[in-house]
Amino acid sequence: MAKKLTVPDIIAMKAQGEKITMMTAYDYPTGLLVEKAGIDTILVGDSLAMTVLGYESTVPVTVDEMIHHTKAVRRGARNTFIIADMPFGSYNSGITQAVANAVRFLKEGGADAVKLEGGTEVADVVEAVVRAGIPVLGHIGLTPQTVTQLGGYKVQGRDQKRARKLIEDAEALSRAGAFAVVLECIPKNLAKEITERITIPTIGIGAGPFCDGQVLVYNDVVGLFEKFIPKFVKRYAELGEMALKGLMQYKQEVKESIFPDDEHSFD
Ligand code: KIV
């Protein structure tokens, strides 16, 4: 079994030029699968609000719900570095609230680290959480918790002013002590520039090939989320289609008294 990574291991991977793999997971069976696949790190993303709880955005999910899912993932992936997403409203009122909630993710959820969205405006919060002994993954670019302010799910940092702001955000998070930063939905050359400027790893999602690592949403990767498929998503499996086929066959076999047969019955 591979050794569970630590924060210094993850930072060292950037220096060694080894790509960092990250996948979201929201429950026990997915935790098991992601660990078995040997993926370096798991993100219990607040994307679970949409992918598994059926909300229209990530905003409604609560700290208690996120902890519930983080605990399940941890039971499946005992040996993988797990980052739990702090949901909207759980760190936005200031340092005391942020530290208290981050502590819950480690103590109750079994996470190794937390992620929160934002750049310069949350640098003081990131610094305080790190000072409390909790590793923080930053997240800039397309930040789904504030998608309305950003004008929808679209590529960020296309003009010079916004690109400069994203560079400043990444630098501020690095100075604040974040161990890595997610770059979501930004042009690949901007991601390259950020990756070259900061010493901590960048983890891209829709940010091109020059990031130090990549993250994708599990349900997108395995074909279990149909509402919208962003351009940056690559489908590696079609579990949704397979499950539907199986369920339809089950229904038909029960209706036609084919199932259960002798093989699936007791004498
Ligand atoms: O919530 C999530 O899954 C995320 C990833 C898309 C980075 O934040």
Side-chain angles (χ1 to χ4, degrees):
M1 192 189 288
K3 165 182 166 289
K4 180 175 160 185
L5 294 179
T6 63
V7 165
D9 292 331
I10 294 168
I11 294 173
M13 287 168 81
K14 176 178 179 119
Q16 289 153 5
E18 182 183 348
K19 291 279 186 185
I20 300 159
T21 50
M22 183 180 292
M23 180 57 58
T24 70
Y26 313 114
D27 56 21
Y28 169 76
T30 314
L32 276 176
L33 277 176
V34 176
E35 181 162 291
K36 209 169 173 183
I39 289 174
D40 297 315
T41 58
I42 291 178
L43 172 65
V44 185
D46 63 353
S47 50
L48 72 83
M50 299 167 78
T51 56
V52 302
L53 300 181
Y55 290 119
E56 289 298 318
S57 79
T58 60
V59 169
V61 72
T62 65
V63 172
D64 286 343
E65 286 169 326
M66 290 299 301
I67 288 175
H68 171 80
H69 285 272
T70 305
K71 284 161 88 170
V73 173
R74 173 53 81 203
R75 288 191 286 269
R78 295 180 189 275
N79 207 36
T80 302
F81 188 93
I82 294 178
I83 302 128
D85 230 345
M86 297 190 69
F88 180 69
S90 68
Y91 57 92
N92 315 68
S93 310
I95 284 171
T96 311
Q97 181 210 29
V99 172
N101 281 322
V103 165
R104 287 192 65 197
F105 277 102
L106 268 65
K107 280 177 84 88
E108 298 172 42
D112 298 295
V114 297
K115 174 166 86 58
L116 53 91
E117 295 183 5
T120 50
E121 65 283 5
V122 295
D124 59 337
V125 170
V126 171
E127 199 174 335
V129 174
V130 173
R131 212 178 315 119
I134 301 164
V136 176
L137 173 62
H139 183 164
I140 58 172
L142 176 55
T143 44
Q145 292 175 8
T146 46
V147 71
T148 310
Q149 266 179 341
L150 299 175
Y153 291 93
K154 56 187 188 193
V155 180
Q156 302 296 308
R158 280 211 191 273
D159 62 75
Q160 256 196 346
K161 191 171 157 215
R162 283 181 203 175
R164 171 116 308 276
K165 164 78 169 93
L166 286 173
I167 293 168
E168 282 166 18
D169 286 339
E171 289 175 339
L173 291 170
S174 179
R175 275 196 307 275
F179 71 89
V181 57
V182 169
L183 305 179
E184 180 163 354
C185 231
I186 67 170
K188 62 184 179 201
N189 285 328
L190 175 58
K192 183 171 189 276
E193 184 170 352
I194 292 172
T195 300
E196 286 168 358
R197 273 176 182 259
I198 60 175
T199 51
I200 57 171
T202 56
I203 311 291
I205 173 163
F210 306 116
C211 297
D212 300 301
Q214 296 292 328
V215 58
L216 281 176
V217 167
Y218 171 79
N219 295 55
D220 290 336
V221 168
V222 300
L224 286 174
F225 189 70
E226 298 293 340
K227 266 194 173 164
F228 58 89
I229 305 167
K231 173 181 160 68
F232 57 76
V233 167
K234 183 168 175 185
R235 279 271 176 101
Y236 287 86
E238 293 295 348
L239 298 193
E241 270 178 26
M242 281 176 68
L244 182 61
K245 235 172 116 186
L247 291 169
M248 286 165 68
Q249 189 177 346
Y250 161 77
K251 177 199 159 181
Q252 189 187 346
E253 291 191 5
V254 172
K255 293 278 187 196
E256 294 174 7
S257 299
I258 296 170
F259 176 85
D261 52 12
D262 272 354
E263 191 189 337
H264 299 97
S265 303
F266 301 104
D267 288 324

